[in-house]
Amino acid sequence: MFLHFISFITTIGVLIDIVGAHIIDIVGPTVVDDVTSNAQFISSFSSFDTPKVRPITNSSFDWWYFDAVSADQEYSVTVIFFTAPQSAFPFVEYETILPVYLFVSVPGDPFFLAEVAFAQSATIITVGDGASGCWEPTGFQFCGNPDMSVYRIDIASPTLDIGGSLVLDSVAPAHYPCASLVLVRTWSCYLILVGQMLFQTPFWADQPMQDNVASWYWGHGRLGPYSIVWFDIKHLNGTEYTSGYVSKGGKVLSHSCHGVKVRPTGNNSTYPPTLESPMPSGYHVEIYLGRKGKLEVDVSLVNLLLDVDGLYTRWAGSLSGGIKRKKKFKGTSICEQFVLIDADGDPVL
């Protein structure tokens, strides 16, 4: 089966000739042992999308995540480019540190495609703030403009018999909400006919995920005129960390690590969640916007897109809400949940 998204030619090699290009090569499917990673956790004025952890070791990871979802939550695409060993991010199921995952859902079949390709090397080129990456010889690559206004994901994999492309056009400015860069975009895709929202973000860490995370809620969406991102993580030591991002009409209204709260809703609203607790019906998200008030959003989980033994789930969902005591809106989202503790609060990985 050969899927056609939108045809175009992506030429990452051209970027090498641009003055100021920063090129990072990651060779080989294994990690570097007996070396300490250098991780960037302080924002800079440029190179937003460049690799943030070097080198990749047994305890560090970095990835570039792209997704798209249609307004009716029936169609979705997720592509993830990893530089991650299983020892640091246990949801990478294979020993190689350079897999690329592709997930596609269509009406009546939320698991239409779930594929993984394995690279022997990856080259990431940073020009300005944007990055481009090529995972060889998988046929998967992404290409970002220097100002991050446009991203393209190109797939040409004879091995998987899959090909096509995504085009991402920015509709909200990139920003660090204390942790990771967020980009909210519109998108075009032949496979997805009624889409209106796409998202791109990198994630990185210099410590194994399972040594730190008890649970986390992460998601993003378009709620009427608002572009929103939420993140609420529970550390194994009981500390809760949050961050949120809200923009409207291309202007950032909030990018804070405070005043954000995400809680499960419905019959199965256990917090913090454990591996024994069932999935909730949705989430209630609150993000304070200072003098503009508080944005309150209810997320209803509609289509299950991925379930890894209850440890990780990804959903397409509908949104409803708005600023408290003001006009309400509807929208679309993709959200995920990690649960890495049992009912006694002990790590399960």
Side-chain angles (χ1 to χ4, degrees):
M1 175 177 53
F2 199 85
L3 296 180
H4 292 277
F5 293 53
I6 288 179
S7 61
F8 64 78
I9 298 175
T10 302
T11 310
I12 290 180
V14 173
L15 295 178
I16 298 176
D17 298 325
I18 299 178
V19 176
H22 185 53
I23 304 171
I24 296 175
D25 289 306
I26 302 172
V27 180
T30 58
V31 300
V32 178
D33 293 320
D34 301 323
V35 176
T36 300
S37 294
N38 293 314
Q40 178 185 342
F41 294 111
I42 299 175
S43 61
S44 62
F45 290 103
S46 63
S47 302
F48 276 2
D49 234 0
T50 196
K52 297 297 193 298
V53 181
R54 287 178 285 170
I56 298 298
T57 66
N58 285 318
S59 59
S60 60
F61 59 84
D62 204 345
W63 75 70
W64 290 259
Y65 172 101
F66 306 85
D67 72 29
V69 62
S70 62
D72 60 2
Q73 298 93 43
E74 292 288 343
Y75 298 86
S76 72
V77 179
T78 301
V79 187
I80 312 171
F81 295 79
F82 280 101
T83 57
Q86 190 178 46
S87 56
F89 186 70
F91 297 91
V92 177
E93 301 174 6
Y94 305 92
E95 293 183 0
T96 175
I97 68 168
L98 297 174
V100 185
Y101 284 79
L102 170 67
F103 303 94
V104 177
S105 66
V106 298
D109 190 355
F111 310 110
F112 180 66
L113 272 181
E115 301 286 355
V116 58
F118 305 103
Q120 294 298 313
S121 66
T123 299
I124 301 100
I125 304 169
T126 306
V127 182
D129 287 323
S132 299
C134 186
W135 266 238
E136 290 290 354
T138 65
F140 285 72
Q141 60 187 27
F142 63 89
C143 182
N145 281 10
D147 63 357
M148 306 179 72
S149 60
V150 177
Y151 263 80
R152 302 178 297 186
I153 300 91
D154 197 24
I155 302 171
S157 174
T159 302
L160 299 178
D161 196 21
I162 297 171
S165 302
L166 288 170
V167 181
L168 298 71
D169 295 308
S170 179
V171 297
H175 216 289
Y176 288 101
C178 305
S180 59
L181 176 69
V182 296
L183 286 168
V184 182
R185 304 174 180 277
T186 59
W187 55 278
S188 54
C189 176
Y190 182 85
L191 175 65
I192 299 177
L193 304 177
V194 290
Q196 66 173 23
M197 187 267 294
L198 190 145
F199 186 84
Q200 182 267 329
T201 185
F203 284 91
W204 67 94
D206 60 353
Q207 298 179 29
M209 180 182 185
Q210 65 273 19
D211 292 350
N212 294 274
V213 176
S215 63
W216 87 16
Y217 305 125
W218 174 84
H220 66 93
R222 293 291 301 278
L223 178 70
Y226 298 101
S227 299
I228 62 175
V229 185
W230 63 87
F231 188 39
D232 192 315
I233 181 172
K234 193 83 167 182
H235 195 278
L236 285 173
N237 64 15
T239 304
E240 185 176 7
Y241 300 93
T242 65
S243 65
Y245 171 98
V246 180
S247 68
K248 178 182 179 182
K251 296 182 179 181
V252 176
L253 302 182
S254 176
H255 55 93
S256 177
C257 289
H258 305 284
V260 181
K261 184 178 180 179
V262 183
R263 290 293 184 269
T265 58
N267 294 329
N268 305 317
S269 55
T270 302
Y271 181 83
T274 71
L275 196 56
E276 290 80 9
S277 58
M279 279 296 299
S281 302
Y283 304 100
H284 182 74
V285 181
E286 298 179 358
I287 304 176
Y288 285 91
L289 307 179
R291 294 181 179 179
K292 294 183 181 296
K294 181 171 66 174
L295 185 70
E296 295 189 349
V297 183
D298 288 309
V299 185
S300 296
L301 303 181
V302 177
N303 277 328
L304 178 64
L305 304 178
L306 184 62
D307 184 355
V308 183
D309 300 324
L311 298 165
Y312 172 80
T313 50
R314 184 190 306 134
W315 293 79
S318 61
L319 301 179
S320 62
I323 295 178
K324 192 173 182 179
R325 292 188 289 273
K326 293 186 179 181
K327 183 179 179 180
K328 307 304 178 186
F329 300 94
K330 301 289 186 180
T332 302
S333 72
I334 282 185
C335 55
E336 65 182 24
Q337 172 178 293
F338 282 94
V339 180
L340 304 184
I341 57 172
D342 60 22
D344 296 323
D346 296 323
V348 296
L349 295 178

